[in-house]
Structures are given as C-alpha cells and as structure tokens.
Amino acid sequence: MSGASVTLTDVRYSVAESGFAFDVALQPGETVAVMGPSGAGKSTLLNLIAGFEFPASGRILIDGTDMTTMAPGARPVTMVFQENNLFAHLNVAANIGLGRSPSLHLSTDDRQKIQYALEKTGLSGKQDRLPSELSGGERQRVALARALVRDRPVLLLDEPFASLGPALRLEMLELVRLLHETSGMTVLMASHHPGDAMAFAQRLLFIEEGRILADGATGDLLGGEQPLEIANYLGNRAPE
Amino acid sequence: MAAILLLALLCGGAFAGLAYEAVAGGSRSSAISNSRIFGVVRFTLFQAIFSTLLSVVPALLVARALSRHDRFFGRELLLRLFAVPQALPAIVAALGVLALYGRGGLLAEPLGHLVEGRWPGIYGLSGILIAHVFFNLPLAVRLFYEALQTIPHDHWRIAGQLGMGGFAQWRFIEWPVLRRAAPSIAGLVFMLCVTSFAIVLTLGGGPAATTLEVAIYQALRFDFDPFAAVVLTLLQLALTLAIIAGLALLGGRYAEFASLSIVSRRYVQPKAFEAIANILLVVLAALFVLAPMIAVVISGLKSELGRLVSESSVQRAALTSLVLAFLSACLAVSLSFGLVSTRKRLEMLRRNAGSATLAERLCDGGASMILVVPPIVIGAGWFVLARHAGDVFAIAPVMVVTVNAAMAMPFVVRTIRPSFDAAAERHDRLAASLGMTGWYRFRLVDWPAMRVSLLSGFAFAMALSLGDLGVIALFGSDSLQTMPYLLLSRMSSYRTADAAGLALILAALSFALMSLAGRARSGQ
C-alpha cells in the first residue's frame, strides 16, 4: 500500500456568506498540515476531498481519477474526526472491523488485520472494551486503527487531537507518524498547533478566508522567514 | 409549598374516602363478583398491551422512514400533523373514529363491501384499539423521531465513508438509538392506554369491553355500589404504581414535546425500492391520523351547527366549560409558579452545598407524582366521601377545577421552569442588590421574562381542562354540564348529529388554545 496524489484544480465552494477557492496538488505519500484561523476553511478543504461537500465548480482528482462528484464511500479516503468516531454500543474490535466491512461480515483475514491494527495502535487486549470504557486518547487510537485496516491511500485528520492534553497529543502524533511510515498513506491533518505541524508534516498549507495563503515546507513557514499572516496567526511579532 | 399541600390534600381526601368506605362498608353486600373484577383487569391489560404494540412498532418504522431522506417533501408539516391528536380531547377523537369507521360512518359502505354484508361497526375492542393507536402512534413517531435526531452527525459521515447500506445503517446506527428509547416510549403509551377513560367509555360499549376506570365510573354512577368502586380503585392504583415502578426501572421518563429539528445530512441516499417503501409507510400513517380528524370536520359540518349554537343548554355548557377551564388554568399556573420559585429558592439557599434536600426534590418531582393517580381515582375517592357528607353534586365545580388543575401542573411546571430558572440566574442578585422584592419584582423582572411561557402554560392547562372527560363524568349533572359532558350525554341518547356538531366546536376550541400554547412555546 502506498499513498495517492490529491489534486484540487480551481475548486470553488460557497456556504452562506463565505466563499472558498482551492488550488493545490499533493504528492503521493506526502504529510501535510493544514493550519489557519477557525472558519478559514480547514475543515471545508478536508470535507471537499472526502466528499462530504461538493464543489460548485472545479475538479478534484485522487490518484489521477476524477472524484469530483463521487460519494464519500466510493473515494479512496479515510477521515478521522475530532470526536464521535466510534459507535458507543459496539466494542473496539467491531468499531475497527467496520473499516473492513460496513456490515461486519468479517473473514479470518479481516480478523488478522484487526489484530495487527490493535497491536500497531497500542490497543492490544482492549478489543472487547466499549468506547465508554476508553480514555479520549484511546478512542482516537481506535479511529486510527480503523483507518489502518481500511487501507485507503489518503488519510484526512480533522483536528483529531484537539481535545487531548499536550503529552497525549505528542504520543498520538508519534502514532500517526508511525502509521504513515508503515502504510505510506498521503496524510492531511487540520490543526491549530504549530507543534503538530512541526512534529510530523513535511509540508504546510496556511489557509485564511477560504484561500491557501501560503504553501511550503513546514520548517520554512514556521521558521525564521514566516509570512506576515502566519506570524499574526501564531501571535509572533511581525519581523521588522 | 402550598402547591404540594394542595396536591397532598387532594389525594389524601380521596384516599380517606376510599378507606372509610372500605372499613364502614365492608359488611354491606356488593353486587360485584370476583370473576367480573378479574375480567375487567384482564381486559384493561389486554387492550393496553395490544394498543401499545400497534402504536409503537409501526411508529418505529414511520419515524425511521421520515428521517431517512435528506429532503422529504412536507416532513415539517407531517410532524406538525402528528402533534395534533395530542391537542384533541379524547372524546372528540373517539367520535371521529366512530364517524369514520362506525356503523353509520363515512367508510361504512366501502367497508361493508369488504365484509360482504352490513358493516358491523367498531364498538368494543377494535374501536378502542383504533382510537388508542390514533392517539399514540403519532406521539410515538414524534418521540422516536426525536431520538433519531440525537445521533451525532459524524456517525452519518462515517456511514457514508464506510459505504454502509440501508440495513447496516439500521443495525449499527438507528436501531441502537431506537432500542434505548423504546422502553420508555412504550411504557408511556402503555400507561396512557391503561388510564384511558373517555375512549373506553364511548367506544367500549358493553361489559365485555370495560376497563378498570370505566368500571369505577359505572359502579358509582349506575350501580351505586361504592364498595365495588373502592375495590376497583385500589386495583387501578396498584396497577399504575406497578407500571410507574417498571418505568423507573427501565429508566423511563415522561415524554416531553418533541422539538422539530432539521435532519442531519445523509451521505448515502436510500435506494429506489426503500424510498418507495418509506413514502408508502409515511403516507399510510398520515392518512390514518388525518382521516378521523377530517371525519370530525365533515360530520360536524353536516350537523345543524346553527341550531346547536343557539340552544341554551349548549351555550350554558360552553360557558361552564370556559369558566371552569379558566379557573383551573389560573390555579394550575399559580401553583406551578409557586412550586418553581420555591424550588429555585431552595436551590439558591443550598448553593452547591451537597445534594438536593427532600423539600427541594419534592418541589421538583412533586407535581409529577399526581400523574400516578388517575383523575377518576381521585374523583371516586371524593365522590364516596361527599356522599357521606351530603350532596355529592355541590362540590362538583370545586372538584373539576382542582383535579384538572392538578393534572395540568406537571406540564405547566415543565413549561415555565426553564424560563424561570434562566431569569433567576440572570436577575436574582441584581434584583436583591436593588432591594426589589415581592410584587414589584414579579411585575418588573419576572413577568417580562416569563410572560410567554406563563401564557403558554396557561393556554395548555386551559385546553386540557376544557376537553377533559374524567372527573366531570362522575360529578356532572343537569345542573353542571361541560361541553364534553354534554357531548357524552347526546351520544348516549343517540343524538349522533348533535354530538358530531358539539365535537367540532369542542375540537376547534381546544385546538385554538393548544396552538396558542405551541406558538408561544416555539416563539420563546
């Protein structure tokens, strides 16, 4: 398994008063952080790629195939949300298993994959727990395990660790990095924290008012030569 | 506190009457046999179980069908339609069912072809079931629909992403939520069917189809057999207490008004086959609910409305109804206000110090306790007591006003409490620092903040009292007739056209009040 390229060509979308316009190309296997103020369009970008929103115009290509009008389930994409990723009445194994079969008809092979994902995400021995018996971090681990067994070349993370504490968040970022290493997926993560981007993303997209304002290597954009908007967003004094 | 005392007095007096009769009248002979009592209990449970099944199971499917589609033409309207039966007095609904499916009903002829002969009508079990389903199916649909709205939006996104089909969505997303809601909804419907009085009275027709409440009424009004009434009342009380205990075990709650919310977006649209099945299901349910209401309107318009309105007995009954309902609503709202403000004051005094005190909890749930005791039971107790004291019918107006007020209180409390608590949070300290108390505080601070919810509660209480045929059935007489009572007496003297006209008038009055209450609530 390896990642897939994601290309948005002149994609336009509007909701209520706000308009969005995205034009970007991601390489297969790239790790990309999406930053920007609330309401700037981070989630919208992810939703467009996942198929939860459809553009008014423009094209969305994944792995070279036009996905613009495809239903979410038909796209080679997995998305992890900030919360509510799990069904409260299903145990950990079943919640992961849904990634193999949406009707939970699991083959021996599927079960092995689930077992492997449990180990990879540090959930061994917890397969029979219910989501209510897990911590917030563990719940997100289950969501990542599901993404792993789904085996889709693009992984979208929509502020997945926003409700976790700093130490836990570092742990989870490490896990995402590990998953990226084993699967080679193209990973796109929306986040508010420069730390998240620094920890795992090669590339950074900075979004403001529905547009990609800056696009470059994470180290460059967050390092010395940061553009004014990013400096303002981060609360750094603008470089004189 | 006065409110709780009054409720306690109301129940206490009733129980005193019953106890006195049980002791003093024990030696007297009673015409009622054990097998008769057994039969009544069995029928009560039997019809309630069937009514519940017939309401709740289809409601599950209809609620799901309603929530399945991103766009569903007329969904808001349908949900609103499904709220209407709750606003109709039971006796009006019973009449509507008769006007439609009865022997002389609008559907009698086509149904006659179906059975190849004369349509026998629907008195007895079938009529009771249809009327109960008419009331409770829409209620259950709204409650299940509300439950489905609690599903997190993200779950639908996951379903879309994982490519779940209709069945998988049902199994993993919808059914778990519905299953959790089902026991309390079924329990509520069961309770409503066990304590249903007006419907069984008007549609039961005969000793074979009599529930405990109707048997109590017959024992007091026709057989003059107070001892039998006491036995039946105690049985009814035991039964309702058992159900409440069962509901509490199931974690049930009394249903509130389902709020209409927008259906969250779906990412997998149902297949054509399912879409057609859904539409069919919803249309059938809508027709079932709509038809008796239309029948009420049609047969009401066919009666001589002009003559009815000019009849002095009708005018008197309407006036009596309005006056009693007005007084009852005044009583219900002021007692509820007292209860709500006392509760808040106790909570403020406590100020996070430990858990709620007994008094506070009494103010909280005290009003709801009245729901455990059916109005007929209270009425029966006082009826027996008053019989010893002298004239039963002298206390009739007082009984009607107080019992109806007590019955409305749980709902009124629920209506006014949120706005009172919110206002108190915001204004209490300010008002205290300005030294505003008592009447000035109410007029300048509480009234503007609570006007809408108080009016809403008032209209609701008035509508409830206006359409009630419970206590008045026991205490009514030629000198005290309300609209429902008059309707009942016209029905039992087979003046069907008159009854239909009265039903239309009564329905219009109740509906106007209920929509006033609803409008005020939604405008909040």
Side-chain angles (χ1 to χ4, degrees), chain A residues 32-35 42-43 46 157-160 188-192:
Chain A
V32 183
V34 184
M35 294 186 69
K42 298 189 297 292
S43 294
L46 266 53
L157 305 167
D158 191 2
E159 304 195 31
L188 199 64
M189 174 161 81
S191 167
H192 271 291

Side-chain angles (χ1 to χ4, degrees), chain A residues 47 52-54 72-73 77-79 81 83-87 89-90 98-99 102-104 146 150, chain B residues 152-165 168-169 171-173 176 179-180 265 267:
Chain A
N47 281 334
F52 294 124
E53 308 291 356
F54 295 99
V77 169
T78 299
M79 185 152 162
F81 313 114
E83 50 193 1
N84 291 323
N85 284 294
L86 308 186
F87 294 107
H89 54 283
L90 296 180
L98 282 172
S103 55
L104 274 189
R146 184 198 285 149
R150 277 198 91 211
Chain B
H153 179 68
D154 290 339
H155 284 183
W156 293 118
R157 300 214 283 180
I158 294 171
Q161 185 154 77
L162 300 176
M164 285 187 180
Q169 287 178 32
R171 196 173 136 209
F172 297 124
I173 302 182
R179 189 184 49 197
R180 226 174 315 131
R265 229 180 79 220
Y267 301 99

Side-chain angles (χ1 to χ4, degrees), chain A residues 20-104:
Chain A
F20 301 89
F22 298 117
D23 223 328
V24 69
L26 310 179
Q27 303 308 310
E30 220 174 2
T31 48
V32 183
V34 184
M35 294 186 69
S38 299
K42 298 189 297 292
S43 294
T44 306
L45 176 63
L46 266 53
N47 281 334
L48 282 164
I49 299 172
F52 294 124
E53 308 291 356
F54 295 99
S57 67
R59 296 206 306 154
I60 297 171
L61 273 64
I62 301 177
D63 205 16
T65 314
D66 192 337
M67 295 276 162
T68 315
T69 56
M70 217 69 106
R75 302 189 184 203
V77 169
T78 299
M79 185 152 162
V80 173
F81 313 114
Q82 188 176 330
E83 50 193 1
N84 291 323
N85 284 294
L86 308 186
F87 294 107
H89 54 283
L90 296 180
N91 67 22
V92 168
N95 263 301
I96 299 173
L98 282 172
R100 292 303 300 172
S101 153
S103 55
L104 274 189

